[in-house]
Amino acid sequence: MILIVDSGATKSDWIALDEEGNKLFVTKTLGLSPEVLTREIIDERLANNFELYKHRKEVTQLYFYGAGCGTERMRKFLKEIFNEYFINAKISVKEDTYAAIYATVEPNQHAIVCILGTGSNCSYWDGKELFQKVTSLGYILMDDCSGNYFGRQLLRDYYYHKIPEKLAVKFASEYDLEEDSIKNHLYKQPNPNTYLATFARFLIQNKDEEYSQALIKKGMQLFITNSITQFEQAKDVPVHFIGSIAYYLQDELRQILQDNGLSMGKVLRRPIDGLVDYHKSVLFE
């Protein structure tokens, strides 16, 4: 059995194939980012999935692409956990950028590939190798234009009284905005980045408001300036996107890319289907 996994900070998509490439089952777990989760939490999330637990000894190959797997230390940490859980499997752990590349980029194509979901990142693919000029320092300092970026800005603006009154009342009616609750989630609970990203839904649902449009444009321009245009090839290649923020705000994204002289490529909410197609082409053809 072959397992192919796309794991974001919020959730993970798992697809199992047999040795001929036929789909056996599809399942989900919560996100498995090694940057923000302990070994105990990751173990628990694996064990709580019935399909994975039931078939763990049948897995012969695991291809895992995950948020938080950008350093060798994090990849090794996660690989050790998988080796103990899928005891008969050959394990491959790569950062989620590779999943985005395999799902969007045509063979031998040069492109910039971005992830705009719970977190964000940006890479250049020259047809063979991945290049990154900026080392991410995580959701507190970076992650421009991500779900957690917009959630953080919404909370700040709400408490600084910068959200228009009618919109602020609506925001407060849909979320628990008590300060003790917010502090508890941010400083005492696991996955504060995922918690922040939950507020981005409000921005998407109210994206036509003048306040929302200004915030969306600001976040996107930061991402373009700090991430995309760091590559000198930016205006010569398509810019592909993976993630819910890019998917639900693709009209705004297309316009601001155009304003910056950039060309939008593919926009996918999740890369898992393209990732499976890629592995089928490599393993079975």
Side-chain angles (χ1 to χ4, degrees):
M1 181 185 295
I2 300 164
L3 279 180
I4 299 169
V5 191
D6 170 55
S7 177
T10 304
K11 59 185 176 299
S12 303
D13 293 314
W14 300 69
I15 292 184
L17 307 177
D18 65 19
E19 300 302 325
E20 296 180 348
N22 301 306
K23 189 180 295 184
L24 295 174
F25 65 83
V26 177
T27 190
K28 294 180 183 291
T29 65
L30 293 174
L32 300 176
S33 174
E35 283 188 332
V36 296
L37 299 176
T38 64
R39 183 187 185 107
E40 290 73 24
I41 292 176
I42 294 173
D43 283 335
E44 180 182 3
R45 292 184 177 183
L46 291 172
N48 283 343
N49 184 284
F50 174 75
E51 293 285 359
L52 297 181
Y53 182 80
K54 177 182 175 182
H55 297 290
R56 67 192 187 284
K57 295 181 180 179
E58 302 169 35
V59 179
T60 56
Q61 299 177 67
L62 170 63
Y63 297 94
F64 183 92
Y65 301 87
C69 297
T71 66
E72 181 59 34
R73 184 172 67 88
M74 291 293 98
R75 290 190 292 271
K76 182 179 178 182
F77 169 70
L78 207 51
K79 192 172 182 179
E80 288 174 352
I81 296 174
F82 290 149
N83 277 326
E84 292 185 9
Y85 196 79
F86 303 104
I87 58 175
N88 296 312
K90 179 180 178 182
I91 310 292
S92 171
V93 176
K94 293 185 177 181
E95 62 179 300
D96 53 352
T97 300
Y98 281 95
I101 289 168
Y102 295 154
T104 59
V105 181
E106 301 297 328
N108 302 314
Q109 183 185 55
H110 294 208
I112 289 174
V113 181
C114 308
I115 296 176
L116 294 179
T118 299
S120 68
N121 66 39
C122 178
S123 306
Y124 178 75
W125 179 253
D126 73 351
K128 294 182 179 179
E129 293 185 57
L130 173 71
F131 296 91
Q132 292 178 324
K133 288 191 175 181
V134 173
T135 300
S136 176
L137 296 177
Y139 75 97
I140 294 177
L141 296 177
M142 293 187 170
D143 275 3
D144 295 337
C145 200
S146 67
N148 71 67
Y149 165 84
F150 286 125
R152 183 168 64 248
Q153 296 304 119
L154 281 167
L155 289 176
R156 284 172 53 86
D157 285 356
Y158 178 80
Y159 269 88
Y160 281 128
H161 309 292
K162 292 184 178 180
I163 299 180
E165 184 176 356
K166 284 183 64 176
L167 196 60
V169 170
K170 186 177 182 181
F171 188 37
S173 71
E174 295 184 17
Y175 293 90
D176 181 359
L177 298 181
E178 291 295 326
E179 60 180 285
D180 287 342
S181 176
I182 293 172
K183 290 178 181 178
N184 180 58
H185 278 93
L186 290 180
Y187 304 115
K188 295 184 179 181
Q189 299 299 319
N191 296 80
N193 56 330
T194 302
Y195 167 72
L196 286 170
T198 62
F199 296 100
R201 174 176 56 85
F202 182 83
L203 184 69
I204 292 168
Q205 292 174 338
N206 296 276
K207 69 176 188 175
D208 293 332
E209 298 285 344
E210 183 178 351
Y211 163 83
S212 302
Q213 282 291 310
L215 180 53
I216 291 166
K217 185 174 182 179
K218 177 183 176 181
M220 288 181 173
Q221 188 61 56
L222 279 173
F223 185 77
I224 289 170
T225 301
N226 292 334
S227 297
I228 296 177
T229 56
Q230 65 178 292
F231 297 109
E232 56 270 21
Q233 307 94 333
K235 295 186 177 182
D236 301 320
V237 300
V239 186
H240 300 305
F241 291 88
I242 291 286
S244 57
I245 296 298
Y247 182 80
Y248 288 115
L249 297 177
Q250 58 185 286
D251 292 339
E252 290 78 8
L253 190 55
R254 182 178 289 106
Q255 182 60 56
I256 198 166
L257 286 172
Q258 182 178 323
D259 293 344
N260 282 268
L262 303 167
S263 301
M264 179 182 279
K266 296 179 183 178
V267 181
L268 302 177
R269 185 181 176 190
R270 292 188 295 265
I272 188 65
D273 292 331
L275 194 56
V276 170
D277 291 340
Y278 166 80
H279 279 283
K280 283 185 176 181
S281 71
V282 171
L283 296 172
F284 305 111
E285 295 182 7

